[in-house]
Amino acid sequence: MSAFKVIVVGGGPVGLTAAHSLSRANLDFVVLESRSKIVLDAGSNLVLLPIGLRVLGQLGLLPVIERVSSPMSRFKRIDHEGRNIGDTLWFTYFKENHGAYPRVISRHDLMQTLYDGLPAEAQAKLLPNKKVVDVVTGPSGVKVTCADGTTYEGAVVVGADGAHSKVRDLMRTAALQSATPVEVNDAKPFLTSYRAMWVRFPTVAPVQPGDASETHGYDCTLQLFAGEDTSVIGIYERLDEPTRDGVRYTQADEAQFIERWGHLPIVGSGSGKGGPKFTIGDAYANRTQAGMVNLEEGILNRWSWDRIVLAGDAAHKFTPSTGAGCNNGIVDVVALANEMYHAFREVRGASGDATAFPDRDRLLAAFDDYQQVRFDTVKDGLAAASQATGSATWSDMTHRFVDRHILSKPSLQKFFATWNARALARTPVFEYVEGEEHMVGKFPWAQPIREATARAEPAQAT
């Protein structure tokens, strides 16, 4: 292999963040996306936390992000009867502790921002209609085959293809066939305890632009994010029995879901009696888009094998209650890019050759270091998201009590937010990308953003 090329499978937010990281490192790459377009007007909204916003700011994308997203300072909370059960101020404390409110953004607008922020030569490396069917690794590289018969060769494959990752399945198959005994992930690594419906609808009274609210109660919770023109709700229903099997939901499933939960209020009168209410059924009747999915949860024991490495939902899956999933995928890319940067710097420093690149053993060590950097943080985030969903769906009397009488207290919210802030402040940024620090709060970041006055060291000159 005469050059170093990275093959990224999956052109979602994590895959496009990987494209930015590789473009900034002057490394050759290609992104293979199975869908017909890189930027599609589909999917629910996403929440960008300060840890994700900081990375996007380092890449120079924050001004655009701020124009196409809305800040969130607090969540109003009601129960299934529309009664007020106390606001949550977590987002206010994010602003105090880390310098920015979380922001809600449509998947389309985030994708468009990531795409537009790439130089033209990098955009040309984003290839739609590329459904990966095979990955073969060898001593000197890897070969990826797509359903249309095209093949791509490179040094490594990054699987950023989501919770139902084809790359993860192919990695497992290759590991099982390996002559060297290795730890192998389960065939169905994620457990589903909840399913979700998301609904996009025009923002109409009594829903107001900027509203962010949650409805809590037994077996079902929802989150509302209201924009200037359209709003999105995510409704999370506890399953009777957890499952590891995937499901493709139909219009009939949606109708049954609405029949069961359509009466729940999205916004209420505050007293539970009288006053305007706007329900799930109202939103669904006025929908412009809707869909149903399972909410998988879990974390892989192994995030890599040989020249294949996973990031984002391919390696770990959160429930959406804390908005942490996309942000952790972005930070995965940062951590992986930093470990590869260390590997390039090490081999070039030792050889004196500015065009040298790491061999297989050094790459595998970088992949192991990447997982070690991320694993405990992701595991803690996964537990926090699961706890949040369990509390909001009142899975037992303890969760109901905590949700109504503990989490509703601003003093306790501030205590937990302060405790969590110390861990968030250790979240990494790209070591080799120059940029400005936009997020300044009470808790200083452990890793500063590289100042523009210092010259960044590219991984490989083009």
Side-chain angles (χ1 to χ4, degrees):
M1 185 174 62
S2 59
F4 193 95
K5 185 174 185 175
V6 178
I7 302 172
V8 180
V9 180
V14 176
L16 262 62
T17 302
H20 276 270
S21 74
L22 294 163
S23 177
R24 292 297 189 103
N26 292 326
L27 285 175
D28 192 16
F29 70 93
V30 64
V31 175
L32 306 177
E33 168 55 42
S34 63
R35 298 184 187 188
S36 60
K37 295 180 180 179
I38 298 297
V39 181
L40 286 172
D41 188 13
S44 186
N45 283 5
L46 300 168
V47 175
L48 295 174
L49 303 175
I51 59 172
L53 288 168
R54 188 168 182 243
V55 174
L56 297 174
Q58 186 182 20
L59 295 173
L61 304 177
L62 192 59
V64 178
I65 292 290
E66 290 178 338
R67 287 199 298 271
V68 298
S69 64
S70 302
M72 297 186 299
S73 60
R74 66 172 62 200
F75 261 123
K76 299 175 183 178
R77 302 191 313 155
I78 59 176
D79 65 13
H80 283 188
E81 302 302 320
R83 294 171 297 212
N84 179 21
I85 57 174
D87 294 353
T88 56
L89 303 175
W90 304 112
F91 299 154
T92 298
Y93 299 132
F94 272 124
K95 170 69 170 175
E96 291 181 5
N97 294 334
H98 305 295
Y101 289 118
R103 305 187 73 91
V104 61
I105 188 171
S106 71
R107 180 184 174 90
H108 170 272
D109 287 344
L110 177 58
M111 290 293 295
Q112 191 70 60
T113 302
L114 287 165
Y115 180 84
D116 291 343
L118 288 166
E121 60 270 22
Q123 292 177 356
K125 298 176 182 180
L126 311 179
L127 307 182
N129 289 313
K130 294 296 179 181
K131 182 180 179 181
V132 170
V133 295
D134 196 22
V135 177
V136 178
T137 65
S140 61
V142 62
K143 182 178 180 180
V144 176
T145 301
C146 296
D148 62 3
T150 55
T151 60
Y152 301 87
E153 296 185 7
V156 298
V157 170
V158 178
D161 50 340
H164 305 287
S165 170
K166 179 66 174 180
V167 173
R168 183 181 65 228
D169 292 343
L170 293 169
M171 185 179 88
R172 182 177 186 273
T173 299
L176 286 170
Q177 295 172 350
S178 172
T180 305
V182 293
E183 182 180 14
V184 178
N185 294 312
D186 292 336
K188 299 178 180 179
F190 299 150
L191 182 68
T192 299
S193 299
Y194 306 88
R195 64 178 183 171
M197 172 181 278
W198 62 272
V199 182
R200 186 181 300 278
F201 58 96
T203 301
V204 294
V207 177
Q208 299 296 324
D211 280 354
S213 66
E214 294 183 333
T215 303
H216 292 198
Y218 289 112
D219 295 329
C220 187
T221 183
L222 71 85
Q223 294 180 312
L224 162 72
F225 305 103
E228 289 293 329
D229 300 315
T230 64
S231 299
V232 172
I233 53 171
I235 311 140
Y236 317 137
E237 177 192 46
R238 179 183 299 280
L239 299 178
D240 293 335
E241 294 290 337
T243 181
R244 293 186 182 273
D245 295 328
V247 178
R248 287 190 177 275
Y249 290 103
T250 65
Q251 286 292 118
D253 295 318
E254 289 187 18
Q256 292 175 359
F257 191 96
I258 293 299
E259 182 178 359
R260 181 177 185 187
W261 300 113
H263 66 283
L264 294 185
I266 299 172
V267 295
S269 63
S271 65
K273 297 180 181 180
K277 287 186 180 179
F278 190 80
T279 67
I280 292 173
D282 294 329
Y284 189 74
N286 292 284
R287 69 192 181 278
T288 57
Q289 292 178 320
M292 287 185 66
V293 293
N294 275 354
L295 298 181
E296 300 92 346
E297 297 177 80
I299 181 170
L300 300 185
N301 292 325
R302 289 293 308 174
W303 295 14
S304 64
W305 179 82
D306 202 3
R307 293 177 176 271
I308 306 170
V309 62
L310 306 175
D313 287 353
H316 47 74
K317 187 66 170 62
F318 294 60
T319 60
S321 294
T322 59
C326 178
N327 294 274
N328 275 280
I330 290 172
V331 177
D332 282 353
V333 171
V334 171
L336 177 58
N338 286 344
E339 294 306 327
M340 291 183 66
Y341 171 65
H342 297 164
F344 271 92
R345 189 170 59 177
E346 178 182 301
V347 70
R348 291 177 178 180
S351 67
D353 182 355
T355 64
F357 49 83
D359 62 15
R360 176 182 176 275
D361 290 342
R362 184 62 185 88
L363 287 171
L364 268 56
F367 295 165
D368 287 342
D369 291 342
Y370 150 65
Q371 179 175 337
Q372 185 175 355
V373 166
R374 294 292 295 142
F375 192 87
D376 288 344
T377 299
V378 169
K379 186 176 180 181
D380 290 345
L382 176 69
S386 182
Q387 173 68 33
T389 310
S391 293
T393 54
W394 296 359
S395 58
D396 52 41
M397 291 302 295
T398 299
H399 276 104
R400 180 179 183 273
F401 178 83
V402 169
D403 189 55
R404 289 180 63 90
H405 303 293
I406 303 297
L407 295 181
S408 61
K409 297 183 180 300
S411 59
L412 290 175
Q413 292 177 27
K414 186 168 186 176
F415 171 80
F416 289 124
T418 301
W419 177 79
N420 189 49
R422 295 183 175 88
L424 290 179
R426 295 193 292 271
T427 305
V429 289
F430 294 111
E431 294 182 22
Y432 58 90
V433 175
E434 299 174 347
E436 297 182 25
E437 182 60 81
H438 299 279
M439 311 289 161
V440 179
K442 291 170 58 177
F443 288 82
W445 301 101
Q447 181 187 342
I449 290 177
R450 188 168 187 161
E451 294 182 3
T453 53
R455 184 174 179 79
E457 300 172 34
Q460 178 171 325
T462 55

